[in-house]
Amino acid sequence: MLRERKYLFGTTILASVLALSAPAFAQTAPAQDPDEDEDETTVEEIVVVGSRIARDVYNSPSPVQVINREESTLAGLATTTEILQGVAVTGGTSQINNLYSGFVVNGGPGVNTIGLRGLGPTRTLVLLNGRRVAPAGSRGSVGSADLNVLPSALIERVEVLRDGASSIYGSDAVAGVINIVTRADIEGVVIEGNRQQTTQASGAGNATRLSIAGGIQGERWSFLGSVERFEREEIKLGDVEHAQCPTAGPYLPNTSGFEDFIDPLTGQPKCFSIDNGGVTVNTIATSTRSGIGAYGSATPGALGNFNRWRPNSSVSTGLIGFEGVGGPSAPSLDVRDTFDPRMLEETLFSPVATTTAFMSVGYDLRALGNAEIYAETLFNKRESSSLGGRQLVLDYAVGSLLIPANLSTGGPLAGNLGLTPGRNTQIRVFPYHQYSSEQEVDFAKQVVGIRGDLPISNWTYDAYVSYTNSRSEYQADLALTSRLINSLDVVVAPAGTPAALTRTGMGPAGQVTVTCRVNVGNTNANCVPAPFITNDTIGGYYPQDFINYVEEATLGVTSYDEFVASAGFGGELFSLPAGEVQFYLGAEFREASIDDTPDSASQTGDTYNFSTSAITRGSDSVWEVFGEVEVPLLRDLPIAKELTLSASGRYTDYESYGDDTTYKVGLLYQITDWVGLRATYGTSYRAPALFEQFLGATAGFLASTTDVCNNYDAPGRNPNLAANCASQGLPPGFTATSSVRQLNAGGAAAGLAAETSTNFTGGVVFTPTLPGRLGTLAVAVDYYDIQIDNGVSQVGSAFILNQCYTSSAADFAARSGYCAFVERAPVTNSLTVTNGYVNIATNVVEGIDYNLRYRNSFGPGDFLVNLNVTQYLERYNQLFPTDPTFTSVGRLGTPEFSASLNVQYSWDQWTVFWGTEWIDATTEEDDYFRRNGSSLKSFGIDSDLEEYYLHSASVRWGNDDLSLVMGVRNVFDVDPPTGTGYWVGGIGNSPTYSGYDHFGRTLFINVAKSF
C-alpha cells in the first residue's frame, strides 16, 4: 500500500470541503468500493497545520480560507504578495507593499508583509509547508516575514487560519496563521511566463515573471525544484493622473461642495506638495521686513510685512526681486510655493527584482519506522530602489559672502537649523531636493528533517531543524551636516587656492571669489563652497561640485538569523463510542538575533534633514513544550451528527521575558447534515519582537501640518487644545514652519513587557441540500473577538500629539500621560515626539466574517460563485487604562465592510472569470471631533472617501500540458477615491492604502507549458 502524506492547513482534500472558503462541517469518508484492488488504494494521511493531529478527514472549529493556484491566476495575481494582500484575506486592513517606498516601515523599503485582523504582521505567523518563515528585510525594524522570499512559481494554494493559534504554533500566531503550500504534483518540467502590462500613458508599472519548475521521483527518492525571476518596473508620481496635482480642496459650509485654492497666476487649482501639502519649497525666509505681496496674499501688489519670499524679477520696491508669500501680510500657506515639477519624478511604486530558487528532496530509509529524510532549501535575492524628495534647507549666516546685496540687509532670524553654529542666520533657503535609496536583501533558509512511524499503531513522528539568514545592504545618497556647515562658512579665497575649491558669484559688495574657511592653510581639506544665493539656488538647482561634496552614499548592513529545532509525535490514544481519541505532543527551541549597523554618519546624526539611526543589536531564545488532544464525544445521533472537543496547551519560556502558559479549546457541533456550530477560545503570550526590544533610537521627520497647534484658535477647535497651545506662547493663527521630529526606539530599556491576549471565535456553517438541480450551497458566518492586554505597539505621533494637547490644563502642565512623550522647543516652537514601543493597556478588534460558495451545472459546464465579506464591529486601543476609547472602524485602513466576489464558468477546456473587490466608504474624521460635537468640515477639511470597486475579468484555455490565461485587472480603470490632501495625505489627494489600485487598467497574460 502506498502512503501519501499531505500537509494541509485547516482544510481537507474533499472537494465538498474545498468548495467553501471557510472550515467545513463534519464529513463522512466515502465508502470504499469492495471490488477495488486494495493494493492500489491510496490512503491520504492529512496533517492539519493549525492542528497537529493527523486525520483522514478534516473537522475543525476554526474558520479557514483556501485560495488555490487557479483562482489566483484567473484574477491576474502574479506574486504571493498580490494574492495575500487582497481584501479577501486582509479584510480591507492596510498592508505594507511597494507603495510605501518613501515611508519608514518595519522591514525597510521594498518589504511586503501581511497582518490579519488589522493587528499587524508581528502577530500573524507565516508558514511555508507548515514551517515558519523567518523575518527578512533591512534596517533595524526587521521582525516579520517578507512575502517577497516565497517561491511563487511552486505555490499550490494558500491556507489562511482566521483564528488565534498561539498554543499550537507559538506566540506570534495571535491573529492567525497563513500557510503557503508548494506543489507536489509536478512530474517533468513546467515553464511558465506571466506578463502584466499597464495602460498608463507612460507605460510604467509593467511586470514580468519567468519560472522553470521540475519534479522527478525514484523508487526511494523524490526531487522538486524551481527557479524564477520577477521584475516590476517603477511607477513615478507623474505616471498616474490622480497623483499629479494634489489640491487643498477646502470645504465651504454654505455652498454646494468643495473648492480648491485658485492660483491667481494660472487661474487653475493650485498644486500642493506631493508629500501632503503645506511644506514650502523654492522660497527664502528672512526676518520680517517690508515688501510687495504676491498675488493671493493679504496685500497683493502692495507693500506689507513679510518673512517668506519667492523670486519675482518684476518687483523693484521693498525687497527687490522678491514678492512676499508669508508673514503678517500673507498668513495663508496657499500663497506659498509648495509644488515643484520635479516632485513628479519621485517614486510612487518602487521597482523591484527578485530571484528565487527552491528545492525539496526526500529519501525513504526503509528503516526507523518507514522513515523519510527530507530537506528544503530556499534562496531569494531582492533588489529595490526609490527616488524621494525633501527640503535641503540652507542657513546663510549674517554677513555671509554668499548673500547678494539685495538680501544682505535686515536682522537675523530667530534660531537656526544647526548650519551656522555660533552665528545668527540671516537668510534661510528652502529649495526642493531629490535623493535616491536602494537596498539588496539576500535570504537563505535550510531545513533538514526526518519523519516516520512509531512502533505503536497509527503513531507517527516528525523532527527537523532549520536555519535562516537574511542579510541586507542598504544605502541612500544623503547630505552630511558637517559638510554643509563647512561649505556655508566661506572666506575670500587666498591667492593660489585651487580653482576646484573656489566659487565666484555676487556677494554683498559685488562679485567675489570664495573658498571654505577649512580649506585655508589645510592642505588636506577638499571643501567645496555652497552656492551663492540666486534664483537657481532657491529653485533647488545646485552646482554639481557642491552636490558631490556634501552628499555621500551612506551604507548600512542588517543581518537577521533564526535557528529552530522542533520534534513531535502523535496518533490514536484509545477508542470511544464516537471514535478515536487522538493526541500530539511536541517540543521546540527557537533562537533569533538581529544586528543592524547603520552608516557612521547616520549613527552620529550627521545626515542632514534625514532620519538618524543607532545600532540595533540583540538576541532572544525560547523553549516550548506543547500538546493537543481531540476527543469525539457524540456521533450519528438524531440531534448530533458529531460533537467533538479539541484542546491544546503550550508552556513557553523566553530567555528575555520568562515563562507562561497558553491554551485553546474548541468545540465542533454538527447538528444535522446541513447545519453545524463551531467555537474556540484561546490565550496567547507574546514576547516583543527583537526590534521592539532593541531598536536603536531612530529619528525621522513628519510634515509641519502634523503640529496640532496649527490655527489652534480657529472656530470649532477643542478649547483644551486652544488653551494648551496658547500656554506655550504660540501666537493666534500660529502656523508651524518646522517639521515635527519623531523619535522611534525599542522599549527594552524602558521596561517593555510581554503582551497577553484572548481570542474567541464562534460561527455557524450551513450546507443545505437544494432541491432538484439547483446545485450546492455552503454558507459560513463567524464572529471573532480578540483582546490584547499590554499590547506592544507604537501609537503614532499624530495620536500622541492630539491626546496630549486635548488633555486637561493640569495634566498638560504636569507633562503627564501622553504629554510625557512631547517636547516643544522654546525659541523655534518646533516639536519632538517620542514614538517608542510601549505596552498599550488594551487593544480590541471585533468583527464578523461571511462566506458563501455556490456551485451548479448549467449547459455544458459548471458555474461557481465565491463571496467573502468582512465586517468590523469594533477596533480601538488605549495607552492608559483610564483613557477613553476611540474606535477606528470606518476610518481609512479599517473600513466597516470589505468584500470580494469571484464568479467563474468552466466547460471543456475553457474557463471565464469575473472578480470584484469592494471597500466600503471611509472617513478620516477623527472620533475625537465627533465626540466633541465638532467636524473637520467646519474648518475646510474633506476626509470622506467614497466606496471603491475593483473589477477583473479573464479567460483560460488549457489541456493536459498547456495553459493560457488572458485578462484585464481594474477593467474600468478606476482611480482611488480622493479627499482633502492635507488630511487624507499620501498620494496626491488619495490615501496611501494597499487596498486601492494605483496601477490603473492592467492587461495580463499567463502561459504555462509542461514537458
Side-chain angles (χ1 to χ4, degrees):
M1 178 181 295
L2 172 66
R3 178 175 58 208
E4 179 181 313
R5 286 191 178 90
K6 291 185 178 290
Y7 292 83
L8 306 184
F9 172 80
T11 185
T12 171
I13 58 171
L14 296 180
S16 58
V17 176
L18 287 179
L20 179 64
S21 293
F25 40 86
Q27 295 285 334
T28 302
Q32 181 177 323
D33 186 339
D35 296 328
E36 184 176 346
D37 184 354
E38 182 176 344
D39 290 339
E40 295 184 8
T41 300
T42 298
V43 177
E44 293 176 326
E45 176 187 277
I46 302 172
V47 179
V48 179
V49 182
S51 171
R52 303 268 188 172
I53 295 174
R55 52 177 65 86
D56 291 333
V57 292
Y58 173 61
N59 308 289
S60 170
S62 298
V64 173
Q65 180 179 1
V66 179
I67 304 172
N68 63 44
R69 182 181 184 85
E70 181 180 5
E71 289 175 337
S72 303
T73 303
L74 288 170
L77 306 177
T79 66
T80 310
T81 296
E82 294 172 347
I83 295 171
L84 290 177
Q85 292 191 345
V87 298
V89 174
T90 65
T93 55
S94 189
Q95 310 296 320
I96 299 301
N97 58 18
N98 289 18
L99 190 64
Y100 290 81
S101 61
F103 293 76
V104 178
V105 298
N106 293 339
V111 74
N112 293 173
T113 58
I114 180 71
L116 298 175
R117 306 299 193 199
L119 294 176
T122 57
R123 300 190 183 101
T124 298
L125 178 61
V126 177
L127 306 173
L128 177 63
N129 293 328
R131 291 175 286 271
R132 61 178 55 235
V133 179
S138 61
R139 296 169 171 81
S141 294
V142 175
S144 304
D146 182 5
L147 304 181
N148 287 297
V149 309
L150 297 171
S152 300
L154 279 181
I155 291 178
E156 177 181 309
R157 65 186 174 277
V158 175
E159 303 163 341
V160 184
L161 174 66
R162 296 176 174 272
D163 195 7
S166 292
S167 63
I168 301 172
Y169 276 98
S171 62
D172 39 4
V174 175
V177 187
I178 295 175
N179 186 43
I180 291 89
V181 181
T182 57
R183 301 174 64 182
D185 59 347
I186 297 180
E187 288 282 351
V189 176
V190 178
I191 298 177
E192 186 174 10
N194 181 283
R195 176 67 175 179
Q196 296 180 347
Q197 185 81 31
T198 68
T199 58
Q200 302 285 354
S202 62
N206 302 323
T208 303
R209 181 170 63 83
L210 298 173
S211 67
I212 180 171
I216 187 172
Q217 292 190 5
E219 182 179 354
R220 297 176 59 182
W221 57 273
S222 64
F223 170 86
L224 177 70
S226 69
V227 177
E228 61 186 288
R229 174 74 172 181
F230 174 78
E231 295 183 2
R232 167 81 69 185
E233 298 172 5
E234 178 187 31
I235 297 183
K236 299 178 180 179
L237 289 164
D239 291 331
V240 292
E241 185 175 353
H242 66 270
Q244 292 180 6
C245 184
T247 53
Y251 179 75
L252 305 180
N254 296 317
T255 66
S256 58
F258 300 90
E259 182 176 306
D260 295 315
F261 176 82
I262 303 301
D263 191 335
L265 295 176
T266 64
Q268 299 297 318
K270 181 181 178 182
C271 296
F272 286 85
S273 167
I274 296 292
D275 301 320
N276 194 15
V279 178
T280 301
V281 295
N282 303 340
T283 61
I284 61 170
T286 68
S287 59
T288 300
R289 58 193 296 181
S290 177
I292 298 297
Y295 289 105
S297 70
T299 57
L303 285 172
N305 294 317
F306 301 91
N307 57 24
R308 188 67 65 87
W309 312 81
R310 67 185 176 199
N312 186 339
S313 59
S314 66
V315 175
S316 57
T317 303
L319 185 57
I320 298 173
F322 293 86
E323 57 184 359
V325 293
S329 298
S332 174
L333 289 178
D334 294 337
V335 184
R336 301 183 182 181
D337 287 333
T338 54
F339 181 85
D340 187 298
R342 289 172 294 174
M343 290 179 176
L344 298 180
E345 299 173 6
E346 293 180 26
T347 300
L348 168 62
F349 206 91
S350 62
V352 63
T354 61
T355 303
T356 308
F358 177 82
M359 180 182 68
S360 68
V361 296
Y363 182 76
D364 188 354
L365 291 178
R366 294 183 179 175
L368 301 177
N370 296 320
E372 177 192 20
I373 296 178
Y374 60 90
E376 286 184 1
T377 298
L378 172 64
F379 291 103
N380 175 269
K381 177 185 287 291
R382 168 169 63 89
E383 300 166 285
S384 57
S385 62
S386 63
L387 181 67
R390 60 175 179 177
Q391 291 176 328
L392 183 57
V393 183
L394 301 180
D395 279 345
Y396 289 78
V398 172
S400 172
L401 297 176
L402 300 172
I403 303 176
N406 61 331
L407 293 175
S408 61
T409 59
L413 288 167
N416 65 68
L417 299 180
L419 298 183
T420 55
R423 294 176 295 164
N424 290 323
T425 295
Q426 184 170 6
I427 304 294
R428 182 169 296 142
V429 181
F430 292 86
Y432 173 77
H433 181 59
Q434 292 179 329
Y435 68 96
S436 61
S437 65
E438 57 187 49
Q439 44 280 322
E440 181 178 300
V441 184
D442 292 298
F443 178 90
K445 177 182 174 68
Q446 316 292 331
V447 178
V448 177
I450 182 172
R451 56 192 172 210
D453 299 326
L454 291 172
I456 303 175
S457 177
N458 295 320
W459 283 32
T460 62
Y461 68 90
D462 189 356
Y464 72 90
V465 294
S466 71
Y467 174 73
T468 306
N469 171 257
S470 168
R471 188 181 189 279
S472 169
E473 293 186 357
Y474 57 93
Q475 72 173 41
D477 296 328
L478 304 178
L480 302 186
T481 302
S482 58
R483 295 184 182 179
L484 285 170
I485 291 173
N486 289 341
S487 70
L488 287 163
D489 186 9
V490 300
V491 295
V492 175
T497 303
L501 303 182
T502 66
R503 190 173 310 285
T504 301
M506 297 302 295
Q511 183 167 295
V512 62
T513 299
V514 300
T515 190
C516 302
R517 187 183 302 271
V518 296
N519 289 335
V520 179
N522 185 353
T523 58
N524 295 320
N526 62 347
C527 175
V528 176
F532 287 81
I533 297 181
T534 64
N535 287 357
D536 279 347
T537 304
I538 297 170
Y541 294 94
Y542 307 109
Q544 190 59 48
D545 60 346
F546 170 70
I547 295 296
N548 293 341
Y549 170 68
V550 299
E551 281 195 346
E552 183 176 272
T554 59
L555 177 66
V557 179
T558 305
S559 181
Y560 193 101
D561 295 271
E562 182 179 86
F563 172 79
V564 178
S566 181
F569 64 94
E572 298 174 357
L573 280 178
F574 53 85
S575 296
L576 292 177
E580 299 291 334
V581 175
Q582 301 192 59
F583 83 104
Y584 189 91
L585 291 177
E588 188 166 285
F589 173 76
R590 299 193 304 275
E591 185 176 39
S593 63
I594 187 172
D595 188 329
D596 175 61
T597 305
D599 188 271
S600 59
S602 182
Q603 293 183 46
T604 58
D606 199 22
T607 54
Y608 185 70
N609 198 19
F610 202 81
S611 61
T612 61
S613 302
I615 293 175
T616 297
R617 186 172 295 152
S619 63
D620 204 357
S621 63
V622 57
W623 280 98
E624 297 182 300
V625 179
F626 48 90
E628 184 179 4
V629 63
E630 181 180 275
V631 182
L633 302 177
L634 299 174
R635 183 177 294 274
D636 296 331
L637 298 178
I639 59 171
K641 296 292 294 182
E642 178 185 353
L643 181 64
T644 300
L645 173 70
S646 62
S648 60
R650 177 176 289 249
Y651 172 76
T652 300
D653 188 0
Y654 276 95
E655 178 186 358
S656 58
Y657 283 91
D659 62 340
D660 202 350
T661 58
T662 57
Y663 67 88
K664 180 178 179 180
V665 293
L667 192 67
L668 175 69
Y669 178 30
Q670 190 67 34
I671 303 173
T672 68
D673 288 334
W674 63 275
V675 61
L677 304 176
R678 60 188 179 208
T680 67
Y681 180 83
T683 64
S684 72
Y685 171 78
R686 188 182 80 89
L690 293 181
F691 76 89
E692 293 171 331
Q693 298 181 52
F694 304 114
L695 178 66
T698 302
F701 297 90
L702 304 174
S704 60
T705 52
T706 309
D707 192 331
V708 293
C709 285
N710 285 322
N711 297 315
Y712 69 84
D713 56 334
R717 299 303 298 271
N718 178 274
N720 284 357
L721 182 145
N724 290 332
C725 292
S727 72
Q728 294 188 313
L730 302 180
F734 170 75
T735 299
T737 58
S738 300
S739 299
V740 176
R741 188 168 182 253
Q742 176 179 265
L743 297 178
N744 299 300
L752 187 67
E755 66 180 31
T756 60
S757 69
T758 59
N759 188 319
F760 171 78
T761 301
V764 57
V765 178
F766 298 97
T767 55
T769 301
L770 302 180
R773 297 183 177 180
L774 296 182
T776 61
L777 175 68
V779 178
V781 179
D782 291 284
Y783 166 84
Y784 60 89
D785 184 359
I786 304 172
Q787 178 171 317
I788 300 174
D789 296 316
N790 289 323
V792 178
S793 182
Q794 292 174 295
V795 296
S797 295
F799 184 82
I800 292 172
L801 287 171
N802 186 70
Q803 296 303 305
C804 170
Y805 276 90
T806 56
S807 62
S808 68
D811 288 341
F812 185 81
R815 320 308 301 160
S816 62
Y818 291 94
C819 291
F821 307 115
V822 178
E823 181 181 353
R824 187 180 292 274
V827 177
T828 63
N829 291 323
S830 61
L831 276 175
T832 298
V833 184
T834 300
N835 185 32
Y837 286 94
V838 296
N839 290 107
I840 296 176
T842 304
N843 191 326
V844 170
V845 59
E846 178 186 5
I848 303 175
D849 289 330
Y850 308 86
N851 300 277
L852 178 147
R853 191 103 173 193
Y854 175 74
R855 187 190 298 270
N856 201 356
S857 297
F858 290 109
D862 294 324
F863 177 72
L864 176 64
V865 177
N866 184 24
L867 173 66
N868 297 282
V869 180
T870 293
Q871 178 186 11
Y872 284 100
L873 301 176
E874 188 71 89
R875 184 181 175 192
Y876 65 86
N877 58 54
Q878 297 169 286
L879 180 57
F880 302 104
T882 56
D883 288 345
T885 59
F886 300 124
T887 184
S888 62
V889 174
R891 297 186 64 188
L892 179 64
T894 315
E896 181 179 1
F897 287 96
S898 63
S900 67
L901 173 67
N902 292 335
V903 179
Q904 65 184 67
Y905 183 73
S906 302
W907 75 100
D908 194 22
Q909 296 176 319
W910 294 89
T911 299
V912 293
F913 170 90
W914 184 273
T916 298
E917 296 181 2
W918 170 67
I919 297 172
D920 196 11
T922 61
T923 181
E924 279 299 89
E925 183 81 56
D926 196 300
D927 196 51
Y928 155 75
F929 290 99
R930 295 194 292 267
R931 292 188 177 219
N932 287 274
S934 183
S935 170
L936 291 173
K937 293 180 179 179
S938 64
F939 49 94
I941 293 176
D942 168 24
S943 64
D944 296 333
L945 302 177
E946 298 178 350
E947 60 183 352
Y948 176 79
Y949 293 89
L950 180 70
H951 301 280
S952 302
S954 65
V955 59
R956 176 187 182 275
W957 178 89
N959 57 26
D960 291 340
D961 59 6
L962 180 63
S963 173
L964 174 64
V965 178
M966 300 181 65
V968 183
R969 186 162 177 81
N970 196 349
V971 174
F972 302 110
D973 200 18
V974 178
D975 289 334
T978 60
T980 294
Y982 283 156
W983 194 259
V984 174
I987 302 157
N989 283 56
S990 298
T992 306
Y993 172 56
S994 64
Y996 299 146
D997 176 67
H998 292 275
F999 290 83
R1001 183 185 295 113
T1002 302
L1003 311 178
F1004 62 88
I1005 182 171
N1006 193 94
V1007 181
K1009 172 65 176 175
S1010 301
F1011 298 92

